Structures are given as structure tokens and as C-alpha cells.
Amino acid sequence: MSLSRQDVEHIAHLARLKVSDDELDEYVDKLSRIIDLVAQLSSVNTDGVTPMAHPLDIGQRLRPDEVTESDQRELYQENAPDVVHGLYRVPKVIE
Amino acid sequence: MSWETVIGLEIHAQLATRSKIFSGSSTAYGAEPNTQANLVDLGYPGVLPVLNTDAVRLAVKFGLAIGAQIAPRSVFARKNYFYPDLPKGYQISQYELPIVQAGSLQIRLPDGSLKTVGITRAHLEEDAGKSLHENLQGASGIDLNRAGTPLLEIVSEPDMRSPVEAATYMRTIHQLVRYLGICDGNMQEGSFRCDANVSVRPQGQQELGTRAELKNLNSFRFVEKAIEFEVERQIDLLEAGGEVVQETRLYDADRDETRSMRSKEEANDYRYFPDPDLLPIVLDEAFIAEVREELPELPEAKRARFIADYGLREDDVDILVASRPLADYFEAVAGTVKDDPKLAANWVVGELSGALNRDGVDIDASRVPPHALGELLLRIKDGTVSGKLAKEVFEAMWAGEGGADEIIDSKGLKQITDTGAIEKIVDEVLAANAAQVQQYRDGNQKVLGFFVGQVMKASQGKANPRQVNEILRKKLS
Amino acid sequence: MPTARPTIAELAGQLAAGDTSSRELTEATLARIEAADADLNAFINVCAEAALAEADAADARRARGEAGPLTGVPFAHKDIFCTRGVTTTCGSHMLENFVPPYDATVVARLKDAGLVTVGKTNMDEFAMGSSNETSYFGAVRNPWDTACTPGGSSGGSAAAVAAGLVPAATGTDTGGSIRQPAALTGVTGLKPTYGRVSRFGMIAFASSLDQAGVLALTAEDAALVLQAMAGFDPHDSTSTDAPVADYAASLNNELKGKRIGVPGEFFDAGLDPACEQAVRGALAEFEQLGASVVDVSLPHLGLSVPTYYIVAPAEASSNLSRFDGLRFGHRAAGAETLEELYKKTRQEGFGAEVKRRIMTGTYVLSAGYYDAYYLKAQQTRQLIADDFRQAFETVDLIAGPTTPTPAFRLGEKTDDPVQMYLNDIYTIGVNLAGLPGISVPCGFADNLPVGLQLIGPHFGESVVLNFAHQYQQATDWHQQVPGDAP
């Protein structure tokens, strides 16, 4: 099953990846090969098989409701590319 | 054509935990930006979520209160979308297997009728951060303090048929979550938020019309007004031969209208899948039983009990049970006064609520605690102070001038019950108003009220009104 | 040095005897890296100054009589583990300048044990690759033949251990990323059971498959390091609180009476004949040691590559959404809108293979395709895991080749991602089922090392280490040193 240029453009948009026109054909080709590989599963009979989301078949461990953190803003924002008044600055968010 | 309105609500209640749903950061409101966002909340590379026990406990408590099924096994899923206030690029939520499934809630409409609203599900999820725009020269700034705050999303069936029903349902949920102590219900701070799915269909049609999702309905009034507007908009559109588009619309309270949020529409392929960082929540019967033990008396049960045990009027009871602290306050006062719950109810609904509203004080912070109000009411009962002057005593108590007895003493508001003293005042009043005495004796009974007023005035309101009446009648006859 | 590549056990003995100091070992290690790494490119970052400080601290600790079995031994971490104050790139331009403010649990535990971190090893970008060629910092070269790949994604750790630069290093294994490079470089690589070692601080690729482990010269060393790494971590709710076994204690158990299952599916047409011969030779050796070798079947093993290439990219597409240029990592310059900022940042920050996997994962989760791909893969994952469960009802261990071929040449498979993916055909099923596995050297094909894969049941680390150690007691493949190693 092969992907179209439109398919790849749509996926790239969902994944917020810019794909230039000259890269597009290569993505179409390689992604189609990968989808062909994984599409092999369609022929497998999985009727009644419980989907396996996780290798461990156990329940989740919970933590107590305790505040364990203190303000580390300065440290954590050392990695931030653009900070103003303690806020992460981004181009205008339009609602 | 006549149209039927169909409404379902999605309510986001912030759960009252100390720390966030998946991290040990504080959930306290109002901190400096990003000072309560730790590595997990910031979505730093390598970090992992660890679920807060109390978020689970509070969600279960809600489920039990609405008679829902508590899922023995529920699953967190990732809802994937890019937004700057969503640090990981996905929200941890529940999708196919929510923790609370299939419950219902009875609501009491303003006309006194009851209606049952189905609650499809309630699921746990994390809140996002906030985008700020002020003083940023056209840019936006992201504060992630709120990111990771635990939310319970309560999804109703499309069971409501009018804006009033929707607002009543929202109020009833609001009352319930505060009764349960699972949410502070503070709408200004965003602890309790509501989205509405609204559609219309021709009366009698089974199939649902196309719905619009209304966002940003952060007060009971806005819910009602936004739905009213939206219903009208949809009917106008359909009657003009148009079609309703399935979309998200934002309510603008200033203009009282809803408008399309196209920017959110284009990419709503959320690609939900089970979060591989979180194993299923597995709840056993013992845990559920333990939470059930913690359930308080719920509003409807309390309402019935107040009517039956105290013999109160329904409209007073509705006010008293509106919030658990007010109901508790009333019961404490009634306990002090003992044989007169109606007097206690009148004062709590009247003077106390008036003072709280006037000064914007929360019942928990009432400047007159219940036992102090009870003492005052006892002084009315035993005749120490008149009902009228008791209001003056109450205001002084509210102003922090002391207890009932202390204020009655210091202000000399003690009721005059000594017959001799009252007779003396009556004599003086009658002597000073010979013309009116003559009128009374000529058959004008109404003048009696004049004399009562004059006596009360002369006694500075302290004379016992019943005795004044008696003595006047005797002397005038 | 008594041998060209001393083991941890040997170094620990020298340190304990006072024959050497941690500072001396660390200086020598740094000198070897300095001399050899221009050829190998095994390290992304060498932290000489910090390492010497840690070495001095280790020596002081020893002087106080508080040294443990690992204290003072030089060590390296795959650059996927967050190290406080030390750049952690994950092999990506996206994180080229990322300095974590915290230590991964694995890093913290090994630091507590006294291992001295000399640097961070090269890897495929975000651990996505089987040849180390997707690293933003350039491919690693195989010490046995520098024209060949060392495998991936933990290729830097494997090459560093094979070349004797460090005695051991951490790795991570999502579909074979420890075992495959261990096989291709002739070292011992252990992937523990999913949940045995904390994932906290390990930059996520595919969360339901990722597991931290170790590359070392011997199973005995792997046991020593695992002992210090393993255990419940309150920061990782998928880590288990099952008790941690004493791995060293069972290394010398006899294999007499033990049953080894050999799946026919591991010996298919794709297996290089020389590799098959080496693996068959190893099985014969186990029979010499008293174990019996029986046939088992993993009928759904053939589904593991397609299953994996749905599950892993799906999880990755979501895990890598956090790299948006806002809070850390690369941010594109000159973007005027938010969407442009996201798209340019991610276009520039990620390499081609990472982008392919993000797109594959996005596709298989998207509306209309979820059931056909993702849900289906969760079901075939169950079938594969069931096969292993059934096999372990009759055998103690499953054995086979680690890879279908020995190391391939750099550039040989870069044009076709599917050919590259098929290199992990024998290792991937173990991740899907969450089992422990180890690769140990068992011979040569074309003068390149061949790996034997030993797979245990859940939490059967002691079992695989016991078998691997007994095998290494009886053979010397693991002691073969690359001819051109320094």
C-alpha cells in the first residue's frame, strides 16, 4: 500500500514537521516501504486476541499526595531558548 | 416548526489535591509563573509521570456519589496535539476505559420538579498551562504552573432540554463536588469549568441535530446565556435553510454571543492511544469500600432530613443545604437552640446569610460562629432581648464587639419585662396623648398601634412588646 | 596492565589490593580515549575534569574503607541518560546543547556505587537505528573493522568496550540496541526484563519497550553492574518492586539438567551460514556443560518486525512531541508564527530516520488507521508474547543467534530503511515480550564477531547470566581482542 504526497503532507502537518518539496518524494518512497512492511499484519487472524499495551500485566503503583518540589525555575529555564518575566516566550498564540 | 433543544455538558472539576496528578509540584493557586512547574510538568526529556493516590480516591468518591460503576481497571491514554500550554505535546487523559462509568444525578428544577440526568462517564486527566499576552509586545508567554493539575471531566448524557436545565445541572454538580470535598468549586480561579454541546432538532424527531461545542462558560449565568444565544442562532440558521456546522464555539460574555474557533478545528486528529508510561489503574473492592465509608450525607438526603426532622419550609431548606458548611452551620445553631429549629433557620437564612453576602465572607470564616449565634437566639427565647434588638446585637457581634450577653449588657439592650416599669411608661404615654386616648375610647381600635409604637420608642425598643400590648389594653379599657 | 582489556572484576581486585588508584585508572582511560577515539567516534562528550574529580572522590572513599565492588572503576554512559550538569544529546542536533538539571536514576545509582563516568557515548539519534549512522555526531566505527558499523543504537558504548577504552558502559535496548551492537563488536550485552531497571532520566524512544542495560566484557561484569542498577524506583511507576536477586551468587550454578530451547524460527534462510555455525557450536558447548538442547517453536516470531515498527514509532511519535523549541533544545530562528516555529524547529532538529519514524507513528495512530495498524499490532504483540510464555513452560532458557549477519559495512543499508530494520529480526521479539536477554561472543564470521543470544523468562536475569558466565568459563571468544585496537 503506498502513500500519496497528500498523505505525507497531512502526516507531516499532524507531526508538525516541515517537509520541503524536494524531500517529499523521498519520504513518500521510504514511508511507503515501511507501511508495506507493517501492513503484513493485516493477513494475521487476531480474532479474540486481547491487545497488549504493556509487557507487564500488573496494576499501577500510586504515590501519596505530597508536595515534594520547591521552586527551581531558574535552573529549569537555563535550557529555555527564550524566556521573559519567567514565562516561556512564543509567537502570539491566537485563540 | 417547533424545535427541541438538546444539551449535554462536560464539566471540568479541579480535584482538591495538594500536589499535581503526576508530580509532586504544588497545586496552590496564584504563584509566580513557572515556579510550581517541575521537570515532569515541563515535560523534560526522560521524566515519567507517577499517579497521585488522592486524585484516584476523589474520582472514586464522585463516582460513588452518582451511583456510577467504578471501573475495576481503567486506563490512561494520550491525547496528542501541539499547543504551547501543553508541554509534552500530549495530554494524559482517559479515553476508552474511564475510571467512572454510567452514573446519574437528580436535579431539582426551579419549578420544583425533578429530573434525572445521565452521566456517561467521569475521567481523570491533567490540566494544561496558560498562555498570557500582556506586556509581551505581540508575543505570548507560557506559564505552566497549572499544567498537571488534576481534573475530573464529568460528561453528561445529552439529557437537558433547556438552558435552565443545563444551568441547574451545573449548579447541582457544583454543589455535589463541594459536598464531597473533591473540588473547591472556585470558578474565578478556573477550578470548575464547563463546556456545552448544544443542538436543536424538530420536535418529535429522534435523531440528534448537528451540535456545536461551546467553550469558556465559567459561570452559571454564562452557561444559560450562551446556550440561549446558541439555540437561537441554530434555529435561525436552520429556518433560513442553512445547516449547523459541527465546530467549537467560544462564548464572549461581553458581547453575549458565541463565535467559531476555526483555529482549533483543522487538526483535531488526537491519535489517542494507551499511555505506555502508566499501567492500568486497578481498584479492588476494599479500596472502593474504604472510599464509600468516607462519603458524607449528600444534598438530597440532607434536604429530606431537614424537612422531616426540623419541619422547615422547602425554600429555606434549599438555601440551607446549598452548601455543606452552611447546612453544618445551621445544624450547630439548631443544636444550641434545641426546641426551635425554625428560629435557627430564619436567622441563618436571614441575618447571617445577609451579613456574609454583604461583606463577601465565606461561611467557614463567619465572624459569628454558630454557637455564638445560638447563644443570641437563646436570649431571644428566654426574653432577655427582643427579636428586633437582637438584630442590633447580631450586628455588634459581627463587628467583633463580643458575645451576645456581653453586648446586651454593655449596650443596655436587655428587654424590660418588669410590669411595673412598663406600666409607668404606658401611663406617661397615655397622659401625653389625651386626644388619641379619646379616639380609642370612641371606637378607633387602630390607635392601639400608635400607643405601642410610642411606648417602644420611649423604652428605646426594650419593652417586651407582648406585655406592652396587654397593659395598654387593660389601661385603655 | 596485565591484559589489554581488564575487566571490572580485575580492576576492582587491583584497586582493592592497592596496586592502582582510581585516578591512575581514570587518567589511563582518558589517554586511551584521546588516542583511539578519533578513529572510532565512540564518544560524543568526554568529561575529563569531572571524571578526575570523581576518581579522587572514589580514592578518598576507598581510603575511608567505604568502597564497594565498583568504586573507582572508569565507566561510560550512553548519551541517552540524563546527567546533571553534563550535556546530554541523545545523538541529536535537537539536544546538542541540552544540559539536564538532574541525573537519571541509573546514573545516580551507578554514581552511588562509585563508578567514575569518563564520558557519554555516541548512539543513533534518539536510539533509532541499528548501525549508529543516524547519529548527528557521525557514525561510530567498529573496532574490528573500521569500515564496518558497530551496530546500534548503543554503538558507541559497544565500540568503547570492545576497544578497551572502558571496561563497561550503559546501553538501552528497545528492539535490540544493546544485544545487536554487543554481537557486532564481540562484547557481552545484557538487556534486563522490562521494569527491572528504572527508565527515569532515560530519554524515551518507545516507552513500553525501552529498557536500560549494560555492555561489558564478561557476564560476570554485567552482573556486577546490573546489581547496582536494578530495583524499584518511585519515579518510574513501570519499574517493579520484585526483589532484586543476588546475580553474582548464581553465576556458578551448574547447567546440568537445564533445558535450552532452540526455536527453529531463529535459523531461517536469512541467517548467515557462518553465524549459524558459530551459534550451533555454542549450543554443542552447552551440551558439554550438561544442559540439554531441545526444539521449541515461536510461530509468530516472523510478525515481530512489522509489529515493532508499528508499536515503537507510534510511541515515539508521541514521546518526541515535547521537542517543540519552547522549553529546551533546538529552536529555529526567524519563525513568525507558532506553527512555523514548531515545524522549522522539528525539521532542523531531527534527522531523517527520526522524522520517518515520527511520521510512521503518526500515521498508524491517525483517524481511520488506528484499528488496522496500532490495535492490530497490540494483538500480534500478544501472540508473540504468548509464544514465549508457552516455550518457557518447558525450557529454562531460549538460545539462538543475536543477528542474522556479522557487522555490515557503513553505508550498506542506509538507502533502505526496511533492510536496516530486518537486522533486528531476532532481538525485537524479546522487547515486545519484555523478556531479559543477553548477547555473548560465540565465534567469528569473516573475521568479525558473532553473537549468541540467550533469552530468559520474566525476571530471569540470574538465569541468563548464569548460562552466559558458564559459557564464558568454558570458552574464550569473549577474550578475543580487535586486532587494530590500541
Side-chain angles (χ1 to χ4, degrees), chain B residues 311-360:
Chain B
L312 301 179
R313 287 188 2 218
E314 292 201 12
D315 53 348
D316 283 344
V317 173
D318 284 336
I319 296 170
L320 291 175
V321 302
S323 87
R324 194 170 141 192
L326 191 66
D328 290 347
Y329 187 103
F330 159 73
E331 292 211 86
V333 177
T336 310
V337 184
K338 298 229 166 49
D339 59 345
D340 200 348
K342 283 181 188 168
L343 180 68
N346 287 342
W347 274 79
V348 173
V349 171
E351 296 305 307
L352 177 82
S353 295
L356 292 169
N357 287 339
R358 183 188 66 213
D359 293 353

Side-chain angles (χ1 to χ4, degrees), chain A residues 1 13 44 50 61 79 89, chain C residues 99 241 331 343 363 376:
Chain A
M1 185 206 138
H13 172 69
V44 182
T50 310
R61 174 185 295 278
N79 281 302
R89 180 153 54 189
Chain C
V99 182
D241 61 355
R331 178 188 184 104
K343 289 186 172 177
Y363 180 73
K376 188 83 178 178

Side-chain angles (χ1 to χ4, degrees), chain A residues 1 11 13 15-16 18 27 30 33 35 41 44 46 49-50 52-55 61 79-81 89, chain C residues 99 194 208 232 241 326-328 331 343 346-347 359-360 363 373 376 378-379 382 415-416 432:
Chain A
M1 185 206 138
I11 300 165
H13 172 69
R16 295 298 183 276
K18 187 171 165 182
Y27 277 116
K30 289 189 171 166
R33 283 197 250 173
I35 297 302
L41 296 187
V44 182
T46 53
V49 178
T50 310
M52 176 174 169
H54 217 272
R61 174 185 295 278
N79 281 302
R89 180 153 54 189
Chain C
V99 182
Y194 184 91
S208 78
F232 173 69
D241 61 355
L326 266 52
R327 297 163 312 285
F328 41 75
R331 178 188 184 104
K343 289 186 172 177
R346 292 164 61 79
Q347 179 197 32
M359 284 199 265
T360 303
Y363 180 73
Y373 292 106
K376 188 83 178 178
Q378 285 197 314
Q379 292 176 307
Q382 187 78 270
D415 283 344
D416 187 356
L432 290 169

